[in-house]
């Protein structure tokens, strides 16, 4: 809600004006009122200040995408989430990962945001350029394989263990967008590739356990 309010009522000027998520949102840190939420750190989901803002960035990206406006910078998340359209997510992280788009129309475009307790909406307001967007979503391809990691859980007894995180392999997908004018002439074409990292399998075990025996146990389980 905070980042939606921050980027709301901002403008991309006509005839090539650019709009940057980070320029409008800023650092999104604790001093600005941001709270802890899930974010991806080192290939794992962890609690961190400003987590969750990518839900808003992804919504902005999809609004711009469907409007046929030019996307200058977009990054996929390092991990795939079924919460977002396949290959159409947008990750932001200050100061490195930004979402930037530009307005090639003859009208200024106003970006408005609204939300409920469970949703966020982004509306682009301007003179309708009457563009048609056609999407071709590619097939999922295999990516990097996951590996198994082990960590001590101080709450477990010696010899006890469990699967803390189920492993999944990485994946790749590309989405192609064709933009046509009101007469059906193609005026734009771009491809958005996404490469998602694997989620490593994480085994937690009690302090003092025979790690070699635990590794052997879970190696057999994975083979099965």
């Amino acid at each position: 809600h905070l980042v939606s309010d921050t980027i709301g009522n901002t403008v991309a000027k006509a005839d090539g004006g650019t709009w940057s998520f980070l320029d409008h949102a800023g650092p999104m840190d604790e001093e600005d009122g941001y709270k802890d939420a899930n974010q991806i750190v080192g290939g794992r989901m962890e609690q961190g200040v400003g987590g969750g803002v990518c839900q808003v960035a992804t919504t902005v990206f999809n609004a711009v995408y469907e409007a046929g406006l030019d996307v200058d910078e977009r990054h996929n998340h390092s991990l795939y989430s079924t919460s977002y359209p396949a290959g159409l997510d947008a990750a932001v992280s200050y100061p490195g990962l930004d979402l930037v788009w530009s307005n090639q129309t003859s009208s200024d475009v106003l970006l408005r945001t609204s939300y409920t307790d469970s949703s966020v909406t982004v509306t682009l307001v301007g003179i309708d350029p009457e563009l048609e967007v056609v999407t071709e979503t590619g097939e999922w391809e295999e990516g990097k394989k996951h590996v198994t990691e082990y960590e001590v859980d101080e709450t477990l007894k010696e010899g006890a263990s469990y699967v803390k995180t189920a492993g999944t392999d990485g994946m790749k997908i590309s989405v192609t967008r064709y933009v046509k004018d009101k007469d059906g002439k193609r005026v734009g074409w771009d491809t958005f590739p996404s490469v998602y990292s694997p989620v490593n399998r994480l085994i937690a075990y009690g302090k003092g356990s025979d790690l070699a025996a635990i590794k052997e146990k879970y190696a057999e389980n994975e083979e099965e």
Side-chain angles (χ1 to χ4, degrees):
H1 290 178
L2 178 56
V3 78
S4 295
D5 289 338
T6 303
I7 68 171
N9 295 320
T10 53
V11 174
K13 292 292 186 180
D15 301 318
T18 60
W19 187 98
S20 158
F21 192 97
L22 295 186
D23 282 353
H24 292 296
M28 297 172 285
D29 54 24
E30 193 170 8
E31 293 180 356
D32 294 324
Y34 287 85
K35 301 183 183 300
D36 284 351
N38 281 336
Q39 59 183 10
I40 301 170
V41 179
R44 298 184 187 179
M45 295 298 295
E46 296 183 1
Q47 289 282 301
V49 175
V53 298
C54 293
Q55 299 173 68
V56 180
T58 293
T59 307
V60 173
F61 169 63
N62 277 267
V64 170
Y65 177 100
E66 294 295 344
L69 300 175
D70 293 340
V71 179
D72 303 312
E73 180 180 350
R74 168 262 172 186
H75 306 271
N76 64 272
H77 290 78
S78 57
L79 302 181
Y80 174 65
S81 170
T82 56
S83 300
Y84 303 130
L88 291 178
D89 57 310
V92 292
S93 178
Y94 191 89
L97 301 181
D98 201 358
L99 170 65
V100 181
W101 56 277
S102 54
N103 173 20
Q104 74 270 32
T105 74
S106 59
S107 163
D108 289 354
V109 173
L110 171 68
L111 185 146
R112 286 180 173 167
T113 58
S114 59
Y115 48 77
T116 68
D117 287 343
S118 59
S119 68
V120 61
T121 300
V122 170
T123 304
L124 303 176
V125 182
I127 296 175
D128 187 358
E130 299 182 71
L131 299 175
E132 177 189 0
V133 171
V134 178
T135 296
E136 289 185 2
T137 303
E139 298 292 331
W140 284 104
E141 300 178 26
E142 293 183 358
K144 186 177 179 180
K145 299 294 184 181
H146 76 276
V147 298
T148 300
E149 299 176 332
Y150 297 84
E151 71 173 18
V152 172
D153 184 337
E154 299 285 353
T155 66
L156 293 179
K157 296 180 180 179
E158 182 178 335
S161 63
Y162 69 98
V163 179
K164 187 174 182 179
T165 303
T168 57
D169 294 336
M171 300 180 293
K172 299 183 287 185
I173 195 170
S174 289
V175 176
T176 300
R177 178 182 70 165
Y178 301 98
V179 181
K180 300 178 182 180
D181 64 16
K182 61 181 179 180
D183 298 318
K185 179 182 178 181
R186 184 187 295 178
V187 294
W189 174 88
D190 40 18
T191 298
F192 300 92
S194 297
V195 179
Y196 300 101
S197 300
V199 176
N200 288 336
R201 187 177 183 227
L202 183 60
I203 309 299
Y205 63 94
K207 186 176 181 180
S209 301
D210 184 343
L211 183 55
I214 290 175
K215 287 184 176 181
E216 183 178 356
K217 170 187 175 182
Y218 286 99
E220 292 175 353
N221 289 344
E222 192 162 38
E223 289 175 0
E224 292 173 359

